[in-house]
């Protein structure tokens, strides 16, 4: 994966490293309402005379000792990214496996103070479908605003939550059972997210039944429009192709049979006056909309009786337990947390555990992190732009505060990474999960700009505080090589290389053996603008952009 990133980085060097500061400062991300961030732009020249002697600030960020590679690897795969504090927490919990097993019971993990506060930052998320509908009709907030708030809350939870494995699995299931925030299902999208969270570390069979019959999914995949005379095939098809067994095991007749089994499940809209006993905005089973007649799909047989909606539930449970679904879910999990091409042996092992545990995902995850292929897979996954931004925020200590306006960073951070926002993938197949989609030259340039913006505190500017580059400068009078080693330990959790050291030296106009005098123009520059260049070299590195 690092090779793919290196190739993309090489292609992206149509913009020289030395001019990336202009890119980072000159091309800020703007959100939909075109709020332009104002930022610093300084010209720095080499001084012939020394500045008056000023004491070098003591660094606020240090790496006390080399990190445990196993701890770093587990953190990179199942959290927002390794930090020294997280490494200490994992060690204090008894090591990687003990920490991981405790994470599988998120209610027993004490949440961080900031994690508990985040919900109150986004009051729109508490709105019911009826409130969202009323807001839209009155010209207030619409699907875009609600989608941005859900994405913002999600990103900040991934930054701050102590329940990291829960957040990782919420992301995986949200991608697998994807519903786009910009679709007609947006009225229920937050409620759907709560459903995913409630079942993310439980049985897939329970999650599948609840998700497939949720109003958001019924609307997103058109089952709500299905009738007895004209069963809509969309959800019946995607259920087989995307959510369970995958392509190749069924034909078109079985797709039609799948649609008939699901028919009858629909949604009560505000303009529906025919079902007064049904709560508006809820999902319900209407026997008059159920297509009768026998139906057989992959060994599941129905005589056409919807049984008050129970037949569809039984069908979903059957598919969740199907061996092909086990293989598909095992592949999905292994691809997310091990590599883009996990071995057949690993997938087979995980599928066996999935079936033996009655589709409970927790034993599957425990088997995965204990498998030698997981241990050997460090840095084989490319971070998505969002994951890259989250890891960068955590390492730099960027502090996004409670918003007082929609221009503040809590709302605008979703634009900083330059990639696709969470839950906005338009198709029902969910966003991709392989390096090829995230290693293009354009992605590299967007991420480089994001790294420099956050390292320099250039953008966002409102409702956020940053550490200065000087906070990452070693105390005393280190050489450039020692500075490179210090930053590599902080950001890569490993020693630097000769190539990285030379690149950093070149970026700041010095040689690896040069001493950094804190009173010189270079020493002062490294506490400000020149330090952004040094941090940029480390953050733009394949070791940071992989996990």
């Amino acid at each position: 994966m690092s090779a793919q990133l290196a190739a993309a980085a090489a292609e992206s060097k149509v913009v020289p490293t030395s001019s990336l500061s202009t890119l980072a400062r000159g091309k800020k991300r703007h959100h939909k309402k075109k709020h332009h961030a104002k930022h610093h732009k300084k010209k720095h020249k080499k001084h012939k005379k020394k500045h008056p002697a000023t004491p070098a600030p003591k660094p606020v960020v240090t790496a006390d000792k080399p990190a445990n590679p196993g701890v770093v690897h587990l953190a990179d795969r199942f959290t927002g990214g390794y930090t020294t504090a997280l490494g200490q927490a994992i060690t204090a919990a008894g090591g990687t496996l003990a920490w991981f097993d405790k994470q599988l019971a998120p209610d027993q993990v004490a949440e961080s103070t900031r994690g508990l506060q985040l919900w109150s930052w986004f009051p729109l998320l508490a709105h019911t479908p009826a409130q969202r509908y009323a807001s839209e009709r009155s010209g207030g907030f619409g699907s875009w605003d609600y989608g941005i708030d859900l994405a913002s809350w999600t990103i900040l939870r991934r930054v701050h939550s102590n329940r990291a494995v829960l957040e990782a699995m919420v992301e995986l299931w949200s991608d697998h059972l994807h519903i786009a925030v910009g679709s007609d299902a947006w009225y229920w999208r937050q409620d759907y997210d709560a459903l995913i969270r409630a079942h993310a570390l439980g049985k897939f069979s329970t999650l599948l039944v609840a998700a497939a019959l949720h109003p958001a999914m019924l609307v997103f995949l058109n089952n709500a429009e299905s009738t007895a005379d004209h069963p809509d095939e969309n959800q019946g098809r995607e259920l087989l192709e995307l959510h369970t067994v995958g392509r190749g095991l069924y034909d078109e007749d079985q797709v039609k049979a799948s649609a008939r089994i699901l028919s009858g499940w629909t949604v009560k809209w505000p303009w529906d006056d025919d079902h007064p006993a049904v709560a508006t905005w809820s999902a319900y089973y209407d026997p008059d909309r159920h297509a009768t007649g026998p139906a057989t799909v992959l060994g599941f047989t129905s005589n056409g009786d919807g049984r008050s909606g129970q037949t569809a539930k039984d069908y979903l449970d059957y598919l969740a337990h199907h061996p092909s679904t086990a293989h598909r879910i095992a592949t999905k999990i292994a691809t997310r947390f091990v590599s883009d091409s996990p071995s057949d042996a690993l997938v087979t092992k995980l599928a066996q555990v999935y079936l033996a545990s009655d589709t409970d995902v927790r034993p599957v995850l425990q088997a995965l992190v204990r498998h030698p292929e997981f241990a050997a897979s460090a840095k084989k996954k490319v971070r998505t732009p969002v994951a890259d931004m989250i890891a960068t925020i955590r390492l730099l200590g960027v502090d996004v505060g409670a918003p007082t306006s929609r221009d503040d960073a809590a709302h605008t951070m979703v634009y900083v990474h330059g990639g696709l926002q969470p839950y906005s993938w338009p198709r029902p197949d969910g966003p991709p999960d392989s390096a090829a989609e995230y290693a293009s030259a354009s992605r590299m340039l967007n991420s480089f700009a994001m790294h420099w913006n956050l390292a320099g505190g250039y953008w966002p500017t409102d409702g956020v505080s940053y550490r200065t580059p000087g906070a990452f400068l070693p105390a005393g009078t280190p050489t450039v090589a020692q500075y490179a080693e210090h930053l590599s330990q902080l950001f890569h959790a490993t020693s630097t290389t000769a190539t990285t050291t030379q690149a950093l030296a070149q970026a700041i106009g010095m040689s690896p053996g040069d001493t950094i005098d804190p009173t010189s123009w270079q020493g002062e520059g490294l506490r400000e603008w020149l330090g952004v260049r040094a941090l940029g070299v480390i953050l733009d590195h394949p070791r940071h952009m992989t996990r």
Side-chain angles (χ1 to χ4, degrees), residues 145-168:
D145 304 287
Y146 287 100
I148 289 300
D149 279 16
L150 177 58
S152 300
W153 178 69
T154 298
I155 287 172
L156 289 173
R157 280 204 57 79
R158 293 177 191 170
V159 171
H160 294 292
S161 178
N162 286 341
R163 298 164 180 172
V165 175
L166 172 64
E167 295 302 317

Side-chain angles (χ1 to χ4, degrees), residues 1 73 77-78 330-343 346 350 367-369 371-382 433 547:
M1 296 306 100
H73 177 44
R77 289 297 166 87
F78 283 97
T331 302
K332 177 83 66 169
I333 290 173
T335 301
R336 176 62 56 95
F337 298 116
V338 178
S339 72
D340 290 354
S341 21
S343 70
L346 174 60
L350 298 183
L368 179 139
V369 298
H371 197 281
E373 192 169 332
F374 175 77
S377 67
K379 298 300 178 182
K380 289 186 178 180
K381 291 290 295 182
V382 173
D433 190 19
R547 59 182 181 89

Side-chain angles (χ1 to χ4, degrees), residues 163 240 286 334 354 484 525 528:
R163 298 164 180 172
L240 295 170
D286 183 352
Y354 171 91
E528 298 178 359

